[in-house]
Amino acid sequence: MSEVVQYQIQQLVDNGQTVQLALVEDVQTEPISQKQLMLDAINQKLDPELKDQIAPFIEAILQSQPTIAIKSYAQTAITITMPKRRYERMGSPAVGQKLEINIKKV
């Protein structure tokens, strides 16, 4: 079974004859507010009656919490060293660009 994964180039080192690419799995994250994270934690701790009574106060207190991107799992990181000529045949991808890598057991 093979799995094709996209990796983003984090670092590129060109020493003239070889090129070293440091790649990290390109993970799409969903923005979630800190307010929602806190409300979820509070809701787990309180009984329903108490939760209904204090919910408006908590909402007001947490109103200004920012939205942040949450990564829910660790990313896979790969470092590849290759001849510069092969790197150039790939189109000389730069930092921030994405590569698709096929990983499978043979």
Side-chain angles (χ1 to χ4, degrees), residues 3-91:
E3 179 181 356
V4 177
V5 180
Q6 285 193 359
Y7 289 85
Q8 186 174 33
I9 300 172
Q10 293 290 351
Q11 183 180 25
L12 182 124
V13 178
D14 182 350
N15 77 2
Q17 293 183 347
T18 62
V19 175
Q20 185 177 40
L21 302 173
L23 310 169
V24 67
E25 190 175 359
D26 185 38
V27 177
Q28 299 298 318
T29 58
E30 302 236 353
I32 185 167
S33 70
Q34 288 183 347
K35 172 184 168 184
Q36 189 59 49
L37 290 173
M38 290 180 198
L39 285 174
D40 291 347
I42 291 168
N43 286 338
Q44 291 176 358
K45 300 290 182 188
L46 300 178
D47 63 66
E49 185 179 318
L50 183 58
K51 183 171 43 177
D52 291 341
Q53 292 174 4
I54 65 168
F57 298 108
I58 294 172
E59 291 266 348
I61 291 168
L62 299 177
Q63 195 62 38
S64 65
Q65 293 299 315
T67 297
I68 57 170
I70 301 294
K71 293 179 183 172
S72 59
Y73 66 97
Q75 295 174 308
T76 300
I78 298 175
T79 302
I80 299 174
T81 302
M82 67 180 71
K84 187 167 184 174
R85 186 148 173 83
R86 184 173 195 179
Y87 168 75
E88 290 169 346
R89 283 194 308 252
M90 291 173 44

